[in-house]
Amino acid sequence: MQASAYAFKGSLGSEFQQRRVLSTFGGFGERRSSRRILRFPDRGFYCGSPLASVSVGAELSRARTKVQTISRSSAKARSVKAQASDGGLEDVVPTKPLGKYSGSVLPYVGFACLGAILFGYHLGVVNGALEYLSKDLGIAENTVLQGWVVSTLLAGATVGSFTGGSLADKFGRTRTFQLDAIPLAVGAFLCATAQSVQTMIIGRLLAGIGIGISSALVPLYISEISPTEIRGALGSVNQLFICVGILAALLAGLPLAGNPIWWRTMFGMAIVPSVLMALGMAFSPESPRWLFQQGKTSQAEMSIRTLFGKENVAEVMHDLRESGRGSTEPEAGWFDLFSSRYWKVVSVGLALFFFQQLAGINAVVYYSTSVFRSVGIASDVAASALVGAANVFGTAIASSLMDRQGRKGLLMASFSGMGLSMLLLSLSLNWNVLAPYSGTLAVLGTVLYVLSFSLGAGPVPALLLPEIFPSRIRAKAVAMSLGMHWISNFVIGLYFLSVVNKYGISSVYLGFATICVLAVLYIAANVVETKGRSLEEIERALNSAV
């Protein structure tokens, strides 16, 4: 059960669109924009990832149809309404539509999502393998060393999440992906060939550094290369592929019962997507925004031509110039994140991941095996697979809603559902009236909780934060927010059982429900809506308010 708990750490926790904004960011909602929102009509996409699920394909097909409809729309100006925090309306009037879109974004999103798959796979692979590798490495009776094998990944991920932002700013997004493949592949190789627990721990540490970097890098890169109209759908694909990676790890463990040394093959499998990611990124375009910030204008134009088509180069470059006009500031340092200019928006990123973890996702997954056994489901794999399937299903639904319902709305609905599910779990375990139905209600509460989590609290933060962070601090601010994610994750894993033993699982679940309520209140007061706005437009609006 301990293995199951750690295997899912951060995986279900590692992207809101009515243009509603709040007074916390001052004039964001009041500022009337004369600039149009960039839209990139699409002529045809194909999926670059061989592991794309049917749900992903269906969602991207809907996104393509949506964008094609835009490309056929009349040149007549349209008024786009955006609700401001005071309930007023802000008109954003585009002039003429962009030319026919002949670029192709999805292959490069697919290569980036290999990092998300590896994120989920490395988190989930130890779930079934721990028992068998413990016997082979002679630590079957040493739960402390088993805990180190599992939790070292989280320590490495914390380091990697902070390192990823600096690497992405220094070397660029695609080159950092290639560098990230090194610890991911080497870590997997060491784990697969380990003859001692020390080698296994080193391998897990390197793999953790790798997934920490990718946890910040994947949503950052996707947000910077995605057309505005489908940025939400593409951004939420990151979380979906994390879930796919977890399920892949669970399925990879099925032969273990008949082949005890299969655990080595399970770890070794992770080398393949690591190499594919490095090779894919060698042919992927760099983020136009990063290139422009580096003064590499001609290379930025080439990247835009590849992603959005040559007929849209002038429009996108104009928007980038407008965003950076008048700014000759050097690259932001870590201490800049705490300045009065940026702290409001940075604190939102930290708070979202803090609430995401303290709302109890890993604790629910930890206890799910015991809950399922109470109603006769004795298989750990079946219990984990049911939770994982609920997460994949909910994330697929979130992908289809992200660009229609908005990020903020999904976040609030998600935390509300999680709070109600936690209340149901608490009552099912403590209320005598429900004792005859406690097992069924506990399973129902667990599945509903995970489903609610995957609709918003899981995928939204990783999408929203690259959208609201100004380009000057984007990589470092995303990295810091992901650092909060891993630190909170580690602390919960360290103290959860002690708190449960002292206060009881029912009281702990009630505490999680309270945190969910606080999260809803915080989001209502502090989170901005970004649906339908280009990154440059969001940045200009937020910068005018700080």
Side-chain angles (χ1 to χ4, degrees), residues 120-136:
Y121 190 86
H122 279 292
L123 285 163
V125 69
V126 77
N127 187 18
L130 185 62
E131 176 184 351
Y132 299 90
L133 71 85
S134 297
K135 292 178 181 177
D136 275 6

Side-chain angles (χ1 to χ4, degrees), residues 20-201:
R20 183 181 300 271
V21 288
L22 298 161
S23 57
T24 302
F25 292 99
F28 185 25
E30 301 168 5
R31 185 170 179 260
R32 187 175 295 272
S33 174
S34 60
R35 288 281 301 128
R36 62 183 164 185
I37 300 173
L38 286 182
R39 316 243 190 244
F40 302 112
D42 166 40
R43 188 170 66 179
F45 282 148
Y46 70 94
C47 186
S49 172
L51 296 178
S53 66
V54 174
S55 298
V56 179
E59 168 53 27
L60 296 180
S61 176
R62 286 193 291 272
R64 179 179 58 195
T65 302
K66 174 181 179 182
V67 180
Q68 286 173 333
T69 301
I70 294 173
S71 68
R72 294 192 297 265
S73 64
S74 153
K76 183 165 121 183
R78 299 178 304 273
S79 175
V80 182
K81 307 284 187 179
Q83 292 185 357
S85 58
D86 59 358
L89 293 175
E90 175 184 28
D91 291 339
V92 182
V93 183
T95 53
K96 62 181 181 180
L98 292 178
K100 184 166 60 174
Y101 172 63
S102 59
S104 188
V105 175
L106 293 196
Y108 314 116
V109 171
F111 286 128
C113 282
L114 289 173
I117 290 173
L118 286 165
F119 184 142
Y121 190 86
H122 279 292
L123 285 163
V125 69
V126 77
N127 187 18
L130 185 62
E131 176 184 351
Y132 299 90
L133 71 85
S134 297
K135 292 178 181 177
D136 275 6
L137 300 181
I139 58 171
E141 304 301 323
N142 193 329
T143 57
V144 174
L145 285 178
Q146 290 180 34
W148 273 104
V149 168
V150 175
S151 60
T152 301
L153 186 83
L154 300 179
T158 303
V159 174
S161 64
F162 283 108
T163 306
S166 298
L167 291 175
D169 278 342
K170 183 175 179 61
F171 298 109
R173 295 11 174 178
T174 55
R175 182 62 59 84
T176 303
F177 269 110
Q178 293 176 300
L179 293 174
D180 187 33
I182 297 174
L184 286 169
V186 173
F189 176 79
L190 290 177
C191 290
T193 58
Q195 298 300 321
S196 66
V197 67
Q198 290 85 357
T199 303
M200 172 61 70
I201 289 175

Side-chain angles (χ1 to χ4, degrees), residues 242-253:
I242 291 174
C243 301
V244 170
I246 295 168
L247 283 180
L250 294 173
L251 294 175

Side-chain angles (χ1 to χ4, degrees), residues 159-173 175-177 179 212-213 216-217 220 290 294 331-335 337 472-480:
V159 174
S161 64
F162 283 108
T163 306
S166 298
L167 291 175
D169 278 342
K170 183 175 179 61
F171 298 109
R173 295 11 174 178
R175 182 62 59 84
T176 303
F177 269 110
L179 293 174
I213 294 173
L217 189 58
L220 175 67
W290 182 82
Q294 302 303 307
E331 181 181 302
W334 286 103
F335 288 108
L337 302 183
R472 183 170 178 258
I473 66 166
R474 185 172 293 144
K476 288 185 175 66
V478 169
M480 177 176 285

Side-chain angles (χ1 to χ4, degrees), residues 114 118 185 188 267-279:
L114 289 173
L118 286 165
F267 282 100
M269 287 178 180
I271 298 174
V272 176
S274 303
V275 174
L276 291 177
M277 183 178 72
L279 293 175

